[in-house]
Amino acid sequence: RLRAAVRRKRGCELADTMVKYAREPDNSTKSCKARGSDLRVHFKNTRETAMAIRGMELAEARTYLEKVLEMKTCVPFRRFCGGVGRTAQAKGNVGSTNGQGRWPVKSCRFLLDLLKNAESNAELKGLDTEGLFITHIQVNKAQQQRRRTYRAHGRINPYMSSPCHVEMVLSPKEEGVKKEQEPEAPRLTRRQRARARL
């Protein structure tokens, strides 16, 4: 109680409820957001899985992640790919540059839960969930959690976990307005322009 009173005195009560996203949507009335903090899932696997579903439609992303859980398709690993095996499933994937891929089950489950949360946020706002696309998804490293492992000769080494923060924004596709074609003026040579001036 005392801490809450001190926070209110300092004007920090908004900091506890409002969360800052890395990128705000262009039209917040037609968009919905979801985020997870300090998720106990590997940062590198989650980052690669998130990059695989970026730009997808909500239903398409859900089916893709479910296929990964069933081992029908893999997540292409592009940045964090040291020691990752190659697979034929990765070659067919869009965005695969090296044929390397994995099936990160835990990351897929966490992202499916986050998509479900974003969908319920959209329904709460009264948005049509069928036309929503993942316009922004970002995975950041969270603070590592510490454990210890015991080594030979009585030594102890750190045994750290690499949790992550995930945030996503779902928005409808912006329909561009076609530019009206201006009638092209005929091109004139220098001599013709000089004649027109007279």
Side-chain angles (χ1 to χ4, degrees), residues 39-69:
L39 302 178
R40 193 75 186 268
V41 59
H42 287 306
F43 161 72
K44 293 182 180 182
N45 290 349
T46 311
R47 185 260 172 199
E48 296 293 353
T49 312
M51 292 303 106
I53 65 169
R54 184 173 63 178
M56 286 187 183
E57 199 178 349
L58 182 61
E60 183 189 355
R62 193 184 296 120
T63 52
Y64 174 78
L65 292 173
E66 284 165 358
K67 279 185 182 176
V68 172
L69 290 174

Side-chain angles (χ1 to χ4, degrees), residues 98-123:
N98 47 22
Q100 292 173 292
R102 277 186 177 165
W103 300 265
V105 171
K106 197 171 176 183
S107 297
C108 287
R109 289 212 176 106
F110 272 85
L111 286 176
L112 275 169
D113 290 343
L114 211 61
L115 282 172
K116 190 176 178 183
N117 183 243
E119 186 180 12
S120 60
N121 290 346
E123 286 170 359

Side-chain angles (χ1 to χ4, degrees), residues 146-181:
R146 180 177 290 274
R147 287 185 289 168
R148 51 167 61 175
T149 185
Y150 301 93
R151 309 309 295 267
H153 312 296
R155 291 175 299 128
I156 290 173
N157 278 6
Y159 204 70
M160 313 289 274
S161 69
S162 302
C164 60
H165 308 303
V166 185
E167 63 180 50
M168 65 170 64
V169 176
L170 303 181
S171 307
K173 266 257 167 71
E174 291 296 323
E175 294 167 9
V177 179
K178 282 192 174 181
K179 190 176 179 182
E180 192 175 311
Q181 296 249 341

